[in-house]
Amino acid sequence: MSLGTAGARAARTADPAEPGGDAALAAAVALPPRAERAERAEAAADRLRTAAVDAVAVTWVDNAGITRVKAVPVGGLVHTAEWGIGTAPCFDVFLADDASTTSPIIGGPTGDLRLYPDLDRLVPLAAQPGWAWAPGDRHTQAGGPHPGCQRLFARRTEAAAAARGLSLKAGIEVEWVVALDGPPQEAPRYPTHGPAYGMHRLTDLSDYLRDVLRALDHQGLDVLQIHPEYSPGQFEVSVAPEGPVGAADTSVLVRHTIRAVSARHGLRVSFAPVVEPGAVGNGGHLHLSLWRDGRNLGHGGPGPHGLTAEAEGFLAGVLDALPALLVLGCSSPAGYLRLVPQHWAGAYQCWGLENREAALRLVTGSTGERAAAANAEVKCFDASANPYLAVGGVIAAGLAGLERRGTLPPEFTGDPAAAEPGTVPRLPQGPAEAIAAYERSAVLREALGEPLYQAVLAVRRAEAEQYASAGPEQLVAATRWRY
Ligand code: GLU
Ligand code: MG
């Protein structure tokens, strides 16, 4: 199992019993013993019955960024924990409109996988009474990790960091547009017409937003803030940072909780990159900090704004890989309608302290809280991304940068759009450019492993082709209610 160029090299030379060895990395994606799973599921099922839960939804996110699901009654949870739920591998080449493509290794009607709920994340759903949710990992029928499983990929990259004594804290901001319910072909009609960031909007939708907060809180999520955003009907919620796989799980849970609360209020939501052509879109900004021995490596170092050499190397790796990372962090071709200058989407491949036009925004936090708060934000990502691919890809690119002791180019202050043309590189302006960068990225290819790398590539190519001649109106109409 490979983990990025540098990781793979280290893994091959290490003793397999050592933390950085193949055995440790394999352990990070292995299922616990069956008897242990059964015992834990039995206890979990008892708790769920006490909480009046009838069924458990087990989700995974496909390469097009759509959350897919299989559900089981609570009575079947033990069997599910022991044997998984059957899921077809062809979901790895599904497109956002439910058409499918094929890829050199994964695709076609044959084969089956087992989807195992992660019982550590099992939680009753506050806005879907009688239901609980758990994210799933996909394994083969023989019990080994499915090489196309995006969540296991994220786990492997987390383990690759751990093998170097590093840990990460991550958080994914969720932006959404809320609209009155209507048919899928209809453009949004808004339940509030209040101004951007306006109290007016919060007042109009006060019960709804309180119910969103309540549901998130009942599910054990630690909300940092909620507020109206720029575009019509747009809001944002952010939650406390946690481990990278946990943050990806949380972003799935937060979005589906918002969707469920909205439905109970007769509203519908869009997390699509762009909901109205030309408007500011929905981002899926990824915040990350790198830690060693309980110390935030983004603070107290000799580098720019207190970065340590390791944090700077990590961020240099991420910055360098951003064009290729867009393939993982912006799944939909519609993402490139969002990723435009002067929309706070981070359309330029540069970094800057608190610069909202830079794809990589450095955040040091306030004086006094910096040791805890310093982090970096990848702004160019949107919520059409599979969050497991997004976090795993960023970690792989960051570790490669750290390994080669990368340094950041000079900081960019101000608006890159106002700079002398050509001074600051634009990120890819369409899927073809991002796909070309991805095809040049040995780091991502090795980290993802061939089956997953190829499946993602096939899905991106197929969606790029689907919308190659579509104008913005058509592309937005086709994607706005899919995410
Ligand atoms: N909605 C903007 C985006 O598309 C981001 C606004 C903000 O900085 O929160 O990413
Ligand atoms: Mg925002």
Side-chain angles (χ1 to χ4, degrees), residues 414-440:
D415 183 359
E420 200 61 38
T423 326
V424 194
R426 269 289 294 274
L427 282 172
Q429 295 179 46
E433 260 182 85
I435 289 169
Y438 177 78
E439 289 180 291
R440 288 191 299 271

Side-chain angles (χ1 to χ4, degrees), residues 101-279:
T101 182
T102 190
S103 76
I105 302 170
I106 302 176
T110 317
D112 201 36
L113 298 166
R114 311 304 299 177
L115 174 70
Y116 288 90
D118 184 340
L119 297 174
D120 288 336
R121 280 305 300 246
L122 183 65
V123 64
L125 291 173
Q128 290 172 245
W131 284 89
W133 166 86
D137 289 321
R138 293 179 301 148
H139 289 260
T140 66
Q141 286 176 328
H146 168 48
C149 179
Q150 302 85 352
R151 192 169 184 267
L152 293 179
F153 159 66
R155 277 190 197 248
R156 285 202 314 269
T157 58
E158 202 176 314
R164 292 166 173 79
L166 297 165
S167 63
L168 293 112
K169 283 190 193 172
I172 299 174
E173 289 176 12
V174 173
E175 294 185 335
W176 78 100
V177 166
V178 62
L180 299 171
D181 205 5
Q185 61 280 11
E186 189 184 89
R189 293 173 298 122
Y190 301 105
T192 171
H193 299 283
Y197 310 100
M199 180 62 189
H200 181 155
R201 273 197 213 172
L202 194 139
T203 306
D204 283 351
L205 292 178
S206 148
D207 289 352
Y208 165 69
L209 294 169
R210 180 212 54 222
D211 286 352
V212 168
L213 285 176
R214 222 177 240 175
L216 295 174
D217 180 58
H218 286 182
Q219 292 166 185
L221 296 173
D222 187 5
V223 172
L224 299 177
Q225 57 165 301
I226 189 164
H227 63 88
E229 256 292 343
Y230 188 82
S231 275
Q234 194 180 33
F235 291 88
E236 171 178 331
V237 68
S238 48
V239 295
E242 59 193 306
V245 176
D249 289 336
T250 294
S251 94
V252 172
L253 180 59
V254 168
R255 280 179 280 149
H256 291 280
T257 302
I258 292 170
R259 192 181 293 287
V261 173
S262 303
R264 295 174 80 76
H265 282 260
L267 301 168
R268 63 173 161 175
V269 289
S270 174
F271 300 97
V274 177
V275 179
E276 296 214 53

Side-chain angles (χ1 to χ4, degrees), residues 173 175 197 229 234 236 280-283 285 338 343-345 356 379:
E173 289 176 12
E175 294 185 335
Y197 310 100
E229 256 292 343
Q234 194 180 33
E236 171 178 331
V280 167
N282 289 321
H285 309 169
R338 163 188 167 266
H343 280 53
W344 289 7
R356 287 174 184 75
K379 277 193 77 90

Side-chain angles (χ1 to χ4, degrees), residues 166-169 241 288-301 305-311 315 362-365 369-376:
L166 297 165
S167 63
L168 293 112
K169 283 190 193 172
L288 269 179
S289 54
L290 191 65
W291 298 69
R292 178 185 290 287
D293 301 327
R295 176 173 168 228
N296 185 345
L297 299 176
H299 171 76
H305 304 290
L307 293 177
T308 61
E310 284 186 303
L315 294 181
L362 199 66
V363 180
T364 54
E369 64 153 12
R370 293 187 168 165
N375 71 87

Side-chain angles (χ1 to χ4, degrees), residues 39 59 78 147-148 174 190 217 313 324 347 370 389 395 438 453 474:
E39 199 178 310
T59 59
V78 173
V174 173
Y190 301 105
D217 180 58
R370 293 187 168 165
L389 291 179
I395 295 171
Y438 177 78
Y453 170 83
Q474 210 183 338

